[in-house]
């Protein structure tokens, strides 16, 4: 058995130019109009560049945008759950037929070029209601759509940069072709992806271990890139995750890598986008736990699991590996989920990662049933370094 | 999504007659030649009767027997991993064209009738070497083949008895049509079967719980029928299993039922037979742990897992859910398998059910990491009742 095919059933379509072609494109781009793009847009360019958004060839036009918002279909009929778009204002002076240099100040300047084929206006409220199920401006995904400029631009893209990710993250950063080669080398065909942008505690360990038991292997797949204020720095998160993987997993059962896409907090729809690009990375399954890619109370805790059941047959090759709320139970004497533990609340340790960070930052000691000592040590060091007053 | 189809892709084929047709057949059988059959043969009749051996219509002829032994194929090409045969001697005086009453003294007399179409001799050594990978007479499966009489008889069978199983085991006993109806009623389509003929300890609980996490539900499926000397009585085993299911599983995630087939101890080949009939019972998966259906050291601990990978595509709809050796690990602080625990032997509690029975029968107390207190209580009561000297 081989790996799952890339989305759409064809080959991976990386849009990244390399070597001479890249140098040539960079030279040409000096003569192009320039468009400064947002962090989300730049990171979508990196995803397009490495083939993680296969089979897209660039940013979406109006027909694709509308089909994706309302029916989760590209104009071609292919399943796609969230718009991948770039916007410009009147002042940018860009028109169809232009070649444009897409520039990101955050990610080192020129990121990609686009042949503009279409310039169109969208109903942002329609997009938000379909994609985020809300148009409240405090929703971080909605806020970014609402902040988009007046026009969307569509057209094929050539990517000339990976935004410094390979240099910054080294082996942790991997393109879909690389994870696929790695899985093949390990003899894996059934591979589950575990999405994370946080340190992993025992409940995450439990999710991944269930997948290890029933799959050939697991890809622990971390979001890389710019953080929100208050987030644990990525290098600290990586150390905490490595402390878990090194001490509690068998070598050869888990691969730890990162990807450049910016979290949209789109809950169910974003879980589907996570599924699409994980299929491109070679994963046959995506672990979907409680409140996947959610934010606040916008989504029911299992909406992201349920949406997979509503997809027409053939939408995706990847299957969700859905797991209920997980915790330590002192009657089970181990980790369990709502599906496997029949005991009462009073036996369960239900904590959140956020609460643990709070406890640690206040010098407290979270219970060992919640998190492994090696992981807590990494986090404790970080919080101590933040302010000398933490006393443990 | 519906349930997995019966083996062969058609309808269930129960050969059991009921009501008037059964009475009529019993009347006719009074005029038939009589053949006394073994316990294994009688229990195969019950499996044929309830449709668990769908699509077989009776005992196998020479072409089926040979194809099954050498290539795991019926003459029709359909996958089938072990012979299902009945034998007679010269003294039985049975010839092709005869109608025969199959009688089991152990299971209440007349079990089934057969229209004899074929009478053939087999190479028992060939059967044993193919099916059991050994012809050593101390292997209990080999011993039974070697004890078969001179001729095999083949032909369609009508079953008139369930051998008293429904009366003896009540709700625990179920036909494939019944488990299928039950699964449908529960809204299950992905159902894993867990095979057992022993009490369940924590490692078995762990196997089943992994399946509960990733499937819609689990069928805990016990062998019912005549025991070997020294086995725990079935009613005790059932109480021990119920003690585990009632106290450590969520209602609606597990169904506990029994089936009448006699264990052949055929290791990998028997695991495949277990898979075939579990598919008939409506299961999409079979949990295959360490040394499934093995005996002594005849099979490698994971031979029964590996054999599934050797089957040509389309042999079976059911998939194996293979899980490594499981145990409690004090560094993991929970149950784990060789695939999920990286810690050394010194951290692992590796006991066998046999050792626990020995400890209990000698008045000792097995560690709670090995077995749940509610299960140990049932077993302790049993061993105490066996001999008044046990002091706990």
């Amino acid at each position: 058995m081989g790996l799952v095919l890339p989305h759409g059933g064809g080959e991976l379509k990386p849009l990244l130019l390399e070597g001479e072609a890249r140098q040539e494109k960079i030279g040409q781009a000096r003569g192009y109009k320039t468009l400064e793009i947002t962090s989300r847009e730049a990171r979508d360019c990196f995803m397009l560049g490495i083939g993680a958004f296969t089979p897209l060839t660039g940013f979406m036009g109006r027909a694709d945008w509308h089909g994706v918002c309302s029916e989760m279909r590209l104009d071609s009929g292919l399943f796609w759950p969230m718009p991948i778009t770039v916007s410009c204002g009147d002042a940018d002076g860009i028109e169809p037929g232009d070649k444009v240099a897409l520039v990101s100040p955050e990610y080192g300047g020129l990121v990609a070029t686009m042949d503009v084929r279409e310039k169109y206006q969208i109903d942002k409220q329609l997009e938000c209601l379909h994609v985020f199920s809300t148009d409240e401006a405090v929703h971080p995904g909605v806020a970014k759509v609402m902040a988009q400029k007046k026009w969307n631009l569509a057209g094929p893209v050539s990517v000339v940069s990976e935004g410094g990710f390979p240099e910054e993250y080294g082996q942790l950063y991997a393109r879909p072709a690389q994870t696929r080669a790695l899985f093949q080398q390990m003899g894996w065909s059934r591979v589950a992806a575990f999405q994370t942008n946080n340190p992993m505690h025992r409940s995450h360990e439990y999710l991944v271990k269930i997948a290890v038991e029933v799959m050939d292997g697991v890809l622990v797949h971390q979001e890389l890139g710019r953080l929100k204020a208050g987030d644990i720095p990525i290098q600290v998160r990586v150390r905490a995750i490595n402390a878990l993987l090194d001490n509690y997993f068998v070598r050869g059962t888990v691969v730890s890598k990162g990807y450049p896409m910016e979290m949209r907090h789109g809950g169910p729809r974003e879980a589907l986008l996570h599924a699409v690009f994980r299929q491109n990375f070679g994963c046959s399954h995506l672990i979907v736990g409680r409140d996947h890619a959610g934010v606040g109370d916008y989504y029911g805790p299992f909406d992201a699991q349920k949406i997979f059941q509503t997809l027409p047959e053939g939408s995706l090759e990847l299957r969700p590996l859905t797991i209920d709320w997980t915790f330590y139970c002192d009657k089970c004497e181990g980790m369990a989920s709502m599906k496997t533990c029949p005991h009462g609340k009073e036996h369960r340790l239900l904590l959140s990662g956020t609460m643990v960070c709070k406890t640690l930052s206040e010098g407290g000691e979270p219970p060992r049933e919640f998190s492994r000592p090696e992981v807590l040590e990494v986090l404790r060091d970080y919080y101590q370094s933040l302010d000398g007053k933490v006393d443990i």
Side-chain angles (χ1 to χ4, degrees), chain A:
Chain A
M1 249 176 72
L3 292 173
V4 71
L5 292 172
H7 186 52
E11 300 278 301
L12 280 176
K13 272 197 191 156
L15 307 181
L16 185 68
L17 299 178
E18 301 193 75
E20 268 184 42
R22 176 174 170 271
Q23 287 308 330
E24 199 181 329
K25 183 59 79 177
I26 291 173
Q28 292 168 353
R30 292 200 186 100
Y32 293 175
K33 289 183 185 171
T34 291
L35 178 65
E36 191 175 312
I37 57 177
T38 66
S39 158
R40 188 197 77 201
E41 291 161 347
R43 291 165 70 175
D44 283 350
C45 287
F46 306 139
M47 293 291 277
L48 288 164
I50 60 180
F53 282 162
T54 295
L56 300 188
T57 56
F59 287 103
M60 292 177 182
R62 191 183 157 78
D64 282 342
W65 170 84
H66 189 267
V68 164
C69 289
S70 61
E71 300 178 76
M72 301 199 282
R73 302 262 147 220
L74 296 170
D75 200 36
S76 68
L78 186 71
F79 173 75
W80 199 278
M82 283 189 131
I84 306 296
T85 57
V86 67
S87 76
C88 75
D90 285 328
D92 294 307
I94 296 167
E95 296 302 334
D98 287 346
K99 289 180 186 290
V100 178
L102 303 178
V103 170
S104 164
E106 278 171 287
Y107 287 101
L110 180 68
V111 162
T113 65
M114 177 164 61
D115 290 357
V116 179
R117 300 271 167 86
E118 197 185 338
K119 181 177 171 184
Y120 62 101
Q121 277 192 298
I122 58 162
D123 178 343
K124 292 180 178 177
Q125 194 189 28
L126 178 145
E127 174 169 333
C128 290
L129 290 175
H130 275 295
V131 173
F132 296 106
S133 306
T134 176
D135 61 357
E136 288 181 21
V138 292
H139 183 293
V142 170
K144 284 181 185 168
V145 173
M146 293 304 180
Q148 285 171 201
K149 295 190 233 170
K150 184 172 169 186
W151 306 94
N152 276 3
L153 297 177
V157 158
S158 295
V159 181
V160 298
S161 160
E162 288 180 277
F165 283 84
E167 297 75 11
E168 189 167 355
Y169 300 106
Q171 293 292 314
L172 184 65
Y173 174 80
R175 302 176 185 174
Q178 292 170 319
T179 55
R180 286 178 167 268
L182 192 56
F183 299 161
Q184 270 166 331
Q185 190 187 316
M186 300 179 90
W188 294 358
S189 60
R190 289 164 52 86
V191 185
F194 178 72
Q195 152 76 36
T196 184
N197 55 3
N198 276 304
M200 291 170 66
H201 302 292
R202 284 195 65 179
S203 52
H204 310 109
E205 176 189 336
Y206 180 65
L207 297 181
V208 173
K209 284 194 164 169
I210 290 170
V212 169
E213 293 291 9
V214 301
M215 298 280 150
D216 297 331
V218 175
L219 172 67
V220 170
H221 215 196
Q222 306 183 42
E223 183 195 344
L224 303 177
R226 201 180 62 151
L227 300 168
K228 295 197 305 290
D231 279 352
I232 294 172
I234 292 184
Q235 298 305 348
V236 176
R237 182 224 291 163
V238 169
R239 274 205 302 283
I241 288 178
N242 288 348
L244 183 76
L245 300 182
D246 292 346
N247 290 290
Y248 294 92
F249 283 84
V250 175
R251 217 159 292 275
T253 61
V254 175
V255 162
S256 175
K257 295 290 174 192
Y259 67 91
M261 193 186 85
E262 186 167 291
M263 185 68 88
R264 286 147 160 83
H265 304 286
R269 284 277 194 128
E270 183 158 9
L272 295 175
L273 185 60
H274 286 177
V276 166
F277 79 73
R278 261 47 173 255
Q279 187 177 321
N280 287 331
F281 276 94
C283 300
S284 59
H285 291 75
L286 173 68
I287 299 173
V288 185
R290 192 176 57 87
D291 202 24
H292 188 105
V295 61
D297 291 326
Y298 284 102
Y299 311 107
F302 300 105
D303 286 0
Q305 298 187 351
K306 290 176 201 153
I307 198 169
F308 281 89
Q309 293 163 13
T310 69
L311 305 184
E313 191 71 31
S315 298
L316 262 177
E317 236 194 288
L318 175 146
R319 310 306 321 152
L321 188 69
T322 59
I323 302 182
D324 210 316
W325 196 320
T326 58
F327 44 78
Y328 184 90
C329 165
D330 66 23
K331 278 213 87 174
C332 290
E333 295 182 339
M335 298 304 299
S337 80
M338 298 285 183
K339 209 171 164 198
T340 49
C341 163
H343 308 117
K345 257 188 186 169
E346 65 280 17
H347 296 289
R348 295 173 180 165
L349 183 73
L350 283 163
L351 291 181
S352 71
T354 316
M355 283 161 74
V356 166
C357 291
K358 190 164 174 293
T359 305
L360 282 169
S361 68
E362 290 165 354
E365 183 73 355
R368 63 184 290 117
E369 291 84 3
F370 179 79
S371 196
R372 298 297 187 181
E374 294 85 348
V375 174
L376 290 178
E377 199 183 313
V378 171
L379 299 178
R380 195 186 297 119
D381 284 353
Y382 165 66
Y383 285 107
Q384 279 182 323
S385 76
L386 270 190
D387 100 28
K389 290 169 292 178
V390 178
D391 183 17
I392 296 167

